[in-house]
Amino acid sequence: AAGRVRTINMFDAHCHLTAEAYVSDLDAVLERARAAGVDGIVTISSNAPDAQAACRLAEGHADVWCSVGIHPHEASTFAADFERIVELCGRPRVVAIGETGLDYHYDNAPRDAQRTAFERHLALAEERRLPIVVHSRSAERDTQAMMVAAGRGVTGVLHCFSGDEALLETALELDWYVSFAGVVTFRKFDGAALLRRVPDARLLVETDGPYLAPVPYRGRRNEPAWLRETIGAVAALRGADAMSVAGMTAANARTFYGIV
């Protein structure tokens, strides 16, 4: 199915173009993405310096936009760095807040710091009327509770979704989007039933590059050109045409991020 995605409009809703892995050949990475049919990319930031770099990068490319935020792994820096995130919100290519959220799998930052940071990001998203990009791992109930508490003033996406049915249902009840990455190509992927539950209009696809390279590139540095493999797997699992899924998810990404 993946081979049926030719040079059409695909949109990588979440990757990290400012990652060190791309420093030596970013221009070539972007050229390969364009040649494959990726005509939009949102590069996601993880801390304040990264957000500044993402803004600069996006401002140099007509097909790249960015988010600004502090990843839950970096939540310990939140108090010192959040004002810089607030300042960067006004930059011209900023289309989202994040990524933020909760990660109780690695616990790289204290959980109370993660919750405080997530709450402030949600409030900022509502204040600036920007969508929010949420990372949730092994933290379903707290993520759910904070999404519900934020209410309908915030639109978000659960990126690289790996949560349970209850978290998915909460996201869909709140009209959030749900994004899937290269994990859908892995043999051990066990979320097919939940993937099929996401309505067409709420589905996004992403690479999360340079992480989570899809089969047959697993173990290598991921890049946006390989989004077609994820789209092919998503289409197969949903019993849909890959080219249709590519076009639909591209349109959804532009809607979610407010990109005309």
Side-chain angles (χ1 to χ4, degrees), residues 9 86 140 246 248:
N9 63 316
V86 173
E140 281 90 346
M248 174 183 77

Side-chain angles (χ1 to χ4, degrees), residues 129-215:
R129 297 185 178 178
L130 287 169
I132 193 164
V133 178
V134 172
H135 169 112
S136 179
R137 187 160 185 196
S138 304
E140 281 90 346
R141 298 294 75 80
D142 281 358
T143 301
Q144 221 180 331
M146 293 183 70
M147 288 165 63
V148 170
R152 296 189 175 272
V154 179
T155 300
V157 58
L158 293 175
H159 108 88
C160 192
F161 184 76
S162 62
D164 60 14
E165 183 178 7
L167 181 59
L168 179 69
E169 288 303 317
T170 294
L172 298 180
E173 284 165 16
L174 291 169
D175 292 329
W176 280 39
Y177 289 69
V178 184
S179 184
F180 292 87
V183 177
V184 299
T185 69
F186 298 175
R187 197 181 316 164
K188 67 177 184 181
F189 177 63
D190 61 359
L194 296 182
L195 169 61
R196 287 191 282 268
R197 300 255 310 256
V198 179
D200 285 352
R202 288 285 175 267
L203 181 67
L204 298 180
V205 289
E206 62 176 273
T207 57
D208 201 18
Y211 317 108
L212 297 176
V215 174

